Amino acid sequence: MRLREVLWPTLILASRTHPPRFVELLMLSLATVMLLLWLWQDRWPYVVLSASYVFGAGMSIWVREWIRPHRSDRRIGRTRATALLGLTTLLMFLSLQELSQ
C-alpha cells in the first residue's frame, strides 16, 4: 500500500475532526523544518520564521484553552502553550545572537 493512500485520508480526517489542532500541528511541523534548515545553512531568517510559527501555535493553544469549557486537562494544555511560548523566546534570543555576529 502506498504511503500517499494512507497519509492523505488521515490528513483530511484530522483537518475535519479538529481544525485548530491540525493547523497547530502544521505550524509546528513547519517550525521544525525551518529549524533544521537553520542548523544546516546557518541563516537567521530560518530561525525567525521558525520562532513565528512556534509563537503562532502557542498563542493558538492558549486561546483555545481559555475559550473552551472547563475540563480537567486544561492545566496540561496551558503548560504546553507556555512551553511553546518559552521555546519562542529561546528562538528569538538565538536569532538576536545570530544578528549581532
Side-chain angles (χ1 to χ4, degrees):
M1 187 178 267
R2 293 182 183 169
L3 180 65
R4 183 177 60 206
E5 293 174 0
V6 174
L7 186 63
W8 190 250
T10 304
L11 288 175
I12 290 173
L13 180 65
S15 68
R16 288 181 182 168
T17 308
H18 298 288
R21 286 187 180 178
F22 178 73
V23 170
E24 292 158 4
L25 176 67
L26 184 64
M27 290 173 72
L28 290 174
S29 300
L30 289 172
T32 304
V33 169
M34 292 297 132
L35 274 177
L36 291 174
L37 283 172
W38 174 66
L39 289 173
W40 185 46
Q41 294 187 357
D42 198 30
R43 294 188 180 170
W44 68 270
Y46 292 125
V47 113
V48 172
L49 188 56
S50 176
S52 68
Y53 282 139
V54 172
F55 181 74
M59 289 307 293
S60 175
I61 292 171
W62 261 102
V63 168
R64 189 167 33 93
E65 289 299 318
W66 282 107
I67 289 176
R68 76 178 185 178
H70 181 67
R71 289 182 22 194
S72 61
D73 63 343
R74 189 176 201 177
R75 186 171 162 201
I76 295 170
R78 286 186 194 157
T79 305
R80 276 189 223 140
T82 304
L84 286 174
L85 294 176
L87 179 62
T88 302
T89 304
L90 176 69
L91 291 174
M92 285 297 185
F93 179 72
L94 286 173
S95 67
L96 289 176
Q97 291 292 330
E98 188 77 23
L99 283 175
S100 66
Q101 291 178 354

